[in-house]
Amino acid sequence: MKALLLENVHPAALDLLTERGIEVTSLDGALEGEELIQALNGIDILGIRSRTYVTKDVINACPQLKTIGAFCIGTNQIDVAHATQAGIPVFNAPFSNTRSVVELVIGEIIALARHLTDQNTKMQEGIWVKSAKGAHEVRGRTLGIVGYGNIGSQLSVLAESLGMRVVFYDIADKLALGNAVRCETLDELLRISDVVSLHVDGRKENTGFFTRDMINAMKPRAFLMNLCRGMVVDMDGLKEALESGHIAGAAIDVFPQEPANSGDEFVCQLQGIDNVILTPHIGGSTAEAQEDIGQYVAGKLVDYSLFGATSMSVNIPQVHMDTSGVSRILHHHANVPGVLAKVNTIYSSHGVNVETQQLSTRGTVGYAVTDIDAPMTDELLGELESLPETIRVTHISRA
């Protein structure tokens, strides 16, 4: 079994995969299009971060690819729907870098409130300006969190410990932590918040979510933080608000277009504006977070590749069961009535005894894991593949 890891995935992932007998190739940069397709020749496991796009065309061109790991939170760089229809489980790390992102947000809020980047620039240029003008404590200020998920809720707790008042808005019904107060509308949050921090997911519907009108509806002289997705904010509208003085500062870690490799040229309309912090998508890039992500996602890839386990997959029904028998058969299929009966009829016709079996469904697809007491044969595999409901059949030998 072979794995390809791209975008400088933490060595912990390489070590774990190698220890389990998987041959690993690791590259520092991202790949795209035909270059990615060629690199995936003979590859069973693909590990990426945020800059490699696994499109429908890539999936179609690589039928041997069995599973994909996103060593980050988001999976919008993967055509998850098509991966599902191809029987390819996708795994990510929804919790591993939460603390790292939250700490960066807190640090940047303080930096903006004290104009630290502007002060540093002046000092580097040899200019001494000792002044309290425009510098404020964050204690007593109102932080508005848009999206109260894993990151937003933990940010809420840490910000409150600094003495900030916390309000939040989420389209889902979320339990408020500590003394945080839920806003009924986004307009209400924008009107009262001294700092607005965005923590929405990467679904297509969120493209351009934070519009020029929303920026203009923010409290005058507030700060805007975006450490979630680059396509969320109207960057031209933000530039105008910063240059006019309506917005007093911004911290942006994610961008609509990001370079594919470290060292590549980066251009953004916010460059050169006072009290703006631009960072190269490093919200989760701490040693602790990257090691945890490496171990977590690699563990999920190993569990599926060696045991067929799909726990925490973002797209495939959840199955995890103890091993028994000589062969384990992984059957991805359309979620329609009667599939399991057909599958078991085939086993019976081949004189194969089912030792353990588990079926789970999710939306339009089903996933059945079966341990049998005999080796998989080409004839048995062929019959399972010939079922009209079959998406993909994989087997794991225990002999």
Side-chain angles (χ1 to χ4, degrees), residues 256-366:
Q257 289 84 37
E258 297 181 358
N261 301 293
S262 293
D264 288 354
E265 182 183 14
F266 169 72
V267 177
C268 174
Q269 56 267 68
L270 304 185
Q271 289 168 322
I273 300 176
D274 288 346
N275 212 29
V276 170
I277 301 173
L278 304 178
T279 49
H281 204 147
I282 57 169
S285 296
T286 61
E288 294 85 355
Q290 292 306 308
E291 181 175 4
D292 193 34
I293 290 170
Q295 292 176 339
Y296 180 86
V297 177
K300 295 302 179 185
L301 296 173
V302 165
D303 286 346
Y304 177 73
S305 300
L306 300 186
F307 308 106
T310 52
S311 297
M312 297 299 291
S313 169
V314 302
N315 65 325
I316 297 297
Q318 311 283 296
V319 172
H320 191 290
M321 68 182 196
D322 294 334
T323 58
S324 62
V326 175
S327 298
R328 170 162 287 190
I329 302 173
L330 318 178
H331 187 256
H332 297 262
H333 57 270
N335 181 19
V336 295
V339 175
L340 193 61
K342 291 181 180 181
V343 167
N344 286 338
T345 297
I346 292 174
Y347 293 147
S348 178
S349 69
H350 283 263
V352 170
N353 183 54
V354 173
E355 297 201 350
T356 310
Q357 189 172 62
Q358 186 174 337
L359 166 68
S360 183
T361 61
R362 181 176 183 174
T364 62
V365 297

Side-chain angles (χ1 to χ4, degrees), residues 96-328:
S96 298
N97 66 0
T98 298
R99 177 70 183 208
S100 295
V101 176
V102 168
E103 288 190 3
L104 183 58
V105 175
I106 293 291
E108 290 185 332
I109 291 173
I110 295 171
L112 291 173
R114 300 296 294 273
H115 289 257
L116 295 186
T117 55
D118 297 343
Q119 295 286 9
N120 178 65
T121 298
K122 290 185 178 71
M123 293 291 283
Q124 296 287 354
E125 293 173 349
I127 303 171
W128 178 276
V129 182
K130 180 175 170 58
S131 171
K133 183 179 179 180
H136 300 279
E137 294 182 353
V138 300
R139 179 178 56 174
R141 301 281 170 162
T142 298
L143 169 63
I145 300 173
V146 182
Y148 204 66
N150 299 322
I151 293 174
S153 57
Q154 188 168 145
L155 173 60
S156 171
V157 174
L158 264 66
E160 197 170 283
S161 72
L162 292 174
M164 300 188 77
R165 174 179 178 242
V166 178
V167 298
F168 71 92
Y169 173 78
D170 199 298
I171 58 174
D173 190 15
K174 296 294 181 68
L175 175 67
L177 302 182
N179 295 312
V181 176
R182 180 189 182 96
C183 291
E184 294 301 320
T185 66
L186 181 56
D187 286 342
E188 177 189 358
L189 180 144
L190 298 178
R191 186 174 63 253
I192 63 177
S193 298
D194 299 297
V195 182
V196 175
S197 192
L198 305 178
H199 300 284
V200 301
D201 62 34
R203 71 187 72 179
K204 291 182 179 179
E205 294 82 358
N206 284 333
T207 300
F209 159 75
F210 208 72
T211 63
R212 177 184 270 100
D213 288 343
M214 290 181 184
I215 295 169
N216 292 334
M218 289 172 61
K219 184 178 179 179
R221 304 301 294 167
F223 300 144
L224 178 63
M225 326 290 293
N226 184 22
L227 288 85
C228 61
R229 298 290 185 273
M231 49 51 164
V232 165
V233 175
D234 182 332
M235 297 290 278
D236 291 329
L238 177 57
K239 177 184 179 182
E240 291 175 8
L242 287 162
E243 291 179 335
S244 71
H246 174 64
I247 299 301
I252 308 295
D253 184 54
V254 287
F255 303 87
Q257 289 84 37
E258 297 181 358
N261 301 293
S262 293
D264 288 354
E265 182 183 14
F266 169 72
V267 177
C268 174
Q269 56 267 68
L270 304 185
Q271 289 168 322
I273 300 176
D274 288 346
N275 212 29
V276 170
I277 301 173
L278 304 178
T279 49
H281 204 147
I282 57 169
S285 296
T286 61
E288 294 85 355
Q290 292 306 308
E291 181 175 4
D292 193 34
I293 290 170
Q295 292 176 339
Y296 180 86
V297 177
K300 295 302 179 185
L301 296 173
V302 165
D303 286 346
Y304 177 73
S305 300
L306 300 186
F307 308 106
T310 52
S311 297
M312 297 299 291
S313 169
V314 302
N315 65 325
I316 297 297
Q318 311 283 296
V319 172
H320 191 290
M321 68 182 196
D322 294 334
T323 58
S324 62
V326 175
S327 298
R328 170 162 287 190

Side-chain angles (χ1 to χ4, degrees), residues 21-44:
I22 297 169
E23 181 183 332
V24 182
T25 300
S26 182
L27 301 177
D28 290 342
L31 297 177
E32 60 182 34
E34 189 60 35
E35 190 178 20
L36 176 59
I37 290 171
Q38 291 179 8
L40 285 172
N41 183 33
I43 296 295
D44 305 282

